[in-house]
Amino acid sequence: MGVNSGLPVDVSAPMRTCIGCRRKAGKADLLRMVGSGTHVVPDPAAVRPGRGAYLHRRMDCLNLAERRRAFQRALRTAAALDLAEVRAAIIAAEKHTDQPYLLREHRMSTR
């Protein structure tokens, strides 16, 4: 038995989990990244081969993932990873965002 948040859910949209904040979101709302040697490369079109990890396009999620070593775990590598390209992609995405990102999920009471 799951918890019903009261929010409408589109079951046809693929859902993924952000490796930073661990919240589920639609695949289109997250940035896919792929490990390429010791570099992590953004893959917004989701066409690169290899194991991918998903992250919100927010700096706080990137910092959380980095602090928790979530990139190594998600991409299944023990090597130190260079996140420069991902950091640049997130900075660019934050600059071009039309709407401020909601930091918290708003749930309505059903009582």
Side-chain angles (χ1 to χ4, degrees):
M1 295 190 165
V3 175
N4 183 3
S5 68
L7 297 174
V9 177
D10 182 9
V11 292
S12 64
M15 298 295 285
R16 300 291 183 264
T17 302
C18 172
I19 64 171
C21 66
R22 303 290 299 154
R23 290 189 179 148
K24 291 190 184 251
K27 187 177 173 180
D29 297 331
L30 300 170
L31 175 65
R32 182 177 190 261
M33 299 156 299
V34 177
S36 177
T38 59
H39 297 279
V40 179
V41 181
D43 182 21
V47 294
R48 286 180 168 261
R51 185 165 183 83
Y54 291 84
L55 186 74
H56 283 113
R57 292 174 176 92
R58 297 185 350 217
M59 196 55 75
D60 58 336
C61 284
L62 175 63
N63 293 335
L64 270 170
E66 199 171 7
R67 187 173 66 215
R68 293 176 46 238
R69 297 186 187 122
F71 286 98
Q72 286 86 348
R73 190 171 26 261
L75 299 174
R76 294 186 181 168
T77 182
L81 296 171
D82 180 15
L83 302 173
E85 291 182 53
V86 174
R87 192 173 309 281
I90 289 175
I91 289 170
E94 283 185 339
K95 285 182 181 178
H96 293 96
T97 301
D98 295 334
Q99 300 172 347
Y101 192 88
L102 296 175
L103 296 178
R104 292 190 176 162
E105 185 177 312
H106 297 283
R107 295 184 180 195
M108 296 174 59
S109 175
T110 57
R111 293 182 187 191

